[in-house]
Amino acid sequence: MPDIVDLHTHSTASDGTMAPSELIAHAAERGLSAIALTDHDTVAGLDEAAAAGREHGVEVIRGIELSVVHTKGELHILGLWLPEDASAITDTLDELVRYRHNRNHIIIEKLNEAGVAITYDEVCAVAGEGSVGRPHIAQVLMEKGAASSVQDAFNRYLGPQGCAYAPKKILTPEAAIRLLSGVGATVILAHPGIYGLRGIPLREQVETFRPFGLDGIECHYSEHSAGLTGEYLSICREMDLAVSGGSDFHGTVKPNIRLGTGKGNLAIPYSVVDALKERRRMKGQPVY
Ligand code: AMP
Ligand code: FE
Ligand code: FE
Ligand code: ZN
């Protein structure tokens, strides 16, 4: 495999199925030269990942993925190159994880009302220590035979059209972008191709977010077609935005997405990391 990287991945610290050290070992096995761990709302896996990176000779970029409210929908914002000491943001992150727990309890109640026997303890047993999300609930639903796949669980129960849907209280885009850029992270709008911008043109959206500290767009992504990727790359060129890319690897909960190669459509070269680092240097932000 050429010198490829993956800047969007999840571990057991949130809703992935591999422990941070396992994920890094897997990255080494697959010949990746750099990887960003970007768990939902938590930095809990980063120290373990960084240590494993040193052991396996894989460059580990400390990252995170935050959900934000966007008109009636949700957008995801990635922070890359978080500082080793992330204590400036942990209060906010702890609050997000607490909100998640409240929301998850509501989902469980709705599932029970819909006749599905499931407890939050069962979900927490699957989730382990990390931040608990709907994919964990989906897993329990599958184990119980109440859903045939993660997708089926989202369609029937957990997604916006599902009977047990509950929104989670999340940050505004401005709050999330300022939070991450305030600690010197490179701030990236995640997978613009899968979360609809509700008719707002991407260029316009980016102009709105830029003053808050948005640096760029995740152009390369498992669910982006070649055409869409090309479109995003030209927007980045035209608007002088940073280009990022990753698979959104989650392990066995999303079995069709492989680390580094996504759905077979990804081969993100190391030059993407180099270009991101160069931008950081220009802004006087540290690279490691
Ligand atoms: P939560 O953080 O609990 O709101 O769950 C969001 C996570 O659920 C996302 O990061 C995805 O991993 C997953 N997810 C969201 N929608 C779907 C879907 N339609 N099918 C499968 N997984 C999904
Ligand atoms: Fe996820
Ligand atoms: Fe996401
Ligand atoms: Zn993700």
Side-chain angles (χ1 to χ4, degrees), residues 10 14-16 40 65 135 248 250 254:
H10 297 271
S14 68
D15 58 2
H40 300 284
E65 181 173 27
D248 210 353
H250 277 70
K254 295 193 177 176

Side-chain angles (χ1 to χ4, degrees), residues 8 65 76 191 248:
H8 187 161
E65 181 173 27
H76 293 176
H191 43 61
D248 210 353

Side-chain angles (χ1 to χ4, degrees), residues 38-251:
T38 55
D39 275 309
H40 300 284
D41 302 341
T42 182
V43 295
L46 298 182
D47 287 342
E48 183 184 323
R54 286 190 289 275
E55 187 186 324
H56 292 280
V58 176
E59 183 175 344
V60 172
I61 296 155
R62 293 171 170 266
I64 194 164
E65 181 173 27
L66 298 178
S67 312
V68 301
V69 277
H70 175 67
T71 57
K72 290 190 198 69
E74 200 178 300
L75 286 180
H76 293 176
I77 305 287
L78 295 164
L80 301 174
W81 283 278
L82 288 175
E84 207 170 313
D85 176 5
S87 54
I89 62 171
T90 42
D91 279 355
T92 307
L93 299 181
D94 289 347
E95 204 177 340
L96 293 176
V97 173
R98 271 201 303 281
Y99 285 141
R100 274 181 178 279
H101 279 287
N102 295 342
R103 192 268 306 244
N104 291 336
H105 279 292
I106 296 171
I107 294 176
I108 297 297
E109 271 169 35
K110 288 190 175 185
L111 283 168
N112 292 341
E113 278 162 25
V116 181
I118 180 173
T119 67
Y120 196 39
D121 284 347
E122 290 171 321
V123 177
C124 291
V126 166
E129 289 293 297
S131 81
V132 185
R134 285 176 292 167
H136 299 121
I137 303 176
Q139 233 167 304
V140 176
L141 290 173
M142 282 164 66
E143 280 164 20
K144 289 179 175 289
S148 60
S149 64
V150 174
Q151 195 54 58
D152 183 44
F154 271 88
N155 290 346
R156 285 166 49 208
Y157 300 110
L158 307 172
Q161 317 305 332
C163 62
Y165 178 70
K168 62 177 182 269
K169 190 172 173 198
I170 46 183
L171 301 171
T172 62
E174 175 169 356
I177 295 168
R178 285 191 191 282
L179 185 77
L180 296 174
S181 91
V183 292
T186 294
V187 187
I188 301 290
L189 178 63
H191 43 61
I194 64 161
Y195 282 102
L197 294 173
R198 320 265 147 186
I200 302 169
L202 182 58
R203 285 178 182 79
E204 204 175 293
Q205 191 62 84
V206 166
E207 285 301 358
T208 315
F209 291 166
R210 231 177 180 175
F212 310 146
L214 186 79
D215 293 294
I217 304 177
E218 185 174 51
C219 299
H220 308 281
Y221 187 71
S222 298
E223 312 287 342
H224 290 171
S225 66
L228 211 48
T229 303
E231 201 180 298
Y232 296 146
L233 288 171
S234 56
I235 290 177
C236 285
R237 262 193 306 275
E238 184 191 307
M239 299 180 70
D240 187 30
L241 292 163
V243 172
S244 190
S247 65
D248 210 353
F249 180 75
H250 277 70

